[in-house]
Amino acid sequence: MIAIWTHEGTIIVFDPEIGTVAARSEHEAWREVERRKAIKQERRAATAPL
C-alpha cells in the first residue's frame, strides 16, 4: 500500500486490491480500506460456486 498526505491534510491510500481511498485522517483511511476489503470478500463468497 502507498499513502500520500496532501497539503489540505487529506490522506490518499492506494491498495492494489481495492484501489484508492481518500480520507481526513490516517485512522479513517485504514478503516475504509479494511471495510472495502471485507465487502469484496463477501461478494466473492456470495458468488462462489457451491
Side-chain angles (χ1 to χ4, degrees), residues 6 13-15 21 26 29 33 40-41 43-44 48:
T6 67
V13 176
F14 173 75
D15 181 89
V21 172
E26 190 172 353
V33 166
K40 191 171 185 172
Q41 281 184 337
R43 287 181 183 160
R44 261 191 242 134

Side-chain angles (χ1 to χ4, degrees), residues 4-18:
I4 300 170
W5 285 263
T6 67
H7 291 19
E8 296 83 26
T10 301
I11 181 171
I12 300 169
V13 176
F14 173 75
D15 181 89
E17 186 179 341
I18 59 149

Side-chain angles (χ1 to χ4, degrees), residues 24-47:
R24 292 173 290 197
S25 70
E26 190 172 353
H27 175 73
E28 187 179 316
W30 299 127
R31 189 173 59 206
E32 181 64 14
V33 166
E34 293 304 318
R35 185 185 75 80
R36 290 185 189 184
K37 283 184 177 184
I39 290 171
K40 191 171 185 172
Q41 281 184 337
E42 289 173 9
R43 287 181 183 160
R44 261 191 242 134
T47 59

